[in-house]
Amino acid sequence: LRDADHASSVTNAILDGPNDPELFTAALRSLSCDSGLNQLIPYFVSFVSDRVTENQTNPTLLRNILFLAEALISSSHIHIDPYVRLGFTGRFLLRLSSNN
């Protein structure tokens, strides 16, 4: 439950970034520094992929989501490569097939 609460807190802070810059910064710091987040990586990859797809016309939210992705990628504690390849490749192929 702690992991789900943490993931929810982080994603809410990202979505609400302009309204609470301190919480936004704390969430990004947690993502880039916390060594116990590996089990949440599939959730965050899915979150990024879904929100980018859903909010292509909202530049502020897209910027915040990119900051989240950058924090994950820059973390020396997180091994994100396998998740990114699996998460984005599958979604990309589904999107292509649904557009045809």
Side-chain angles (χ1 to χ4, degrees):
L1 185 60
R2 176 191 153 337
D3 290 339
D5 289 341
H6 184 69
S8 180
S9 295
V10 167
T11 55
N12 286 336
I14 297 302
L15 294 173
D16 201 35
N19 298 325
D20 194 342
E22 289 181 24
L23 187 60
F24 178 74
T25 302
L28 293 177
R29 188 175 18 258
S30 172
L31 289 172
S32 62
C33 298
D34 191 340
S35 61
L37 294 179
N38 276 309
Q39 66 278 11
L40 295 175
I41 298 307
Y43 172 79
F44 288 126
V45 168
S46 178
F47 174 82
V48 168
S49 181
D50 292 344
R51 292 309 182 276
V52 166
T53 300
E54 295 167 4
N55 295 286
Q56 293 179 5
T57 59
N58 185 340
T60 301
L61 184 55
L62 286 174
R63 181 184 64 82
N64 290 353
I65 293 166
L66 290 176
F67 279 127
L68 181 152
E70 181 182 37
L72 291 172
I73 291 167
S74 68
S75 173
S76 61
H77 304 290
I78 295 173
H79 307 289
I80 197 168
D81 290 347
Y83 299 105
V84 171
R85 276 189 234 118
L86 290 174
F88 290 131
T89 302
R91 291 179 193 283
F92 181 70
L93 291 174
L94 285 173
R95 178 161 293 287
L96 280 179
S97 66
S98 68
N99 287 339
N100 292 329

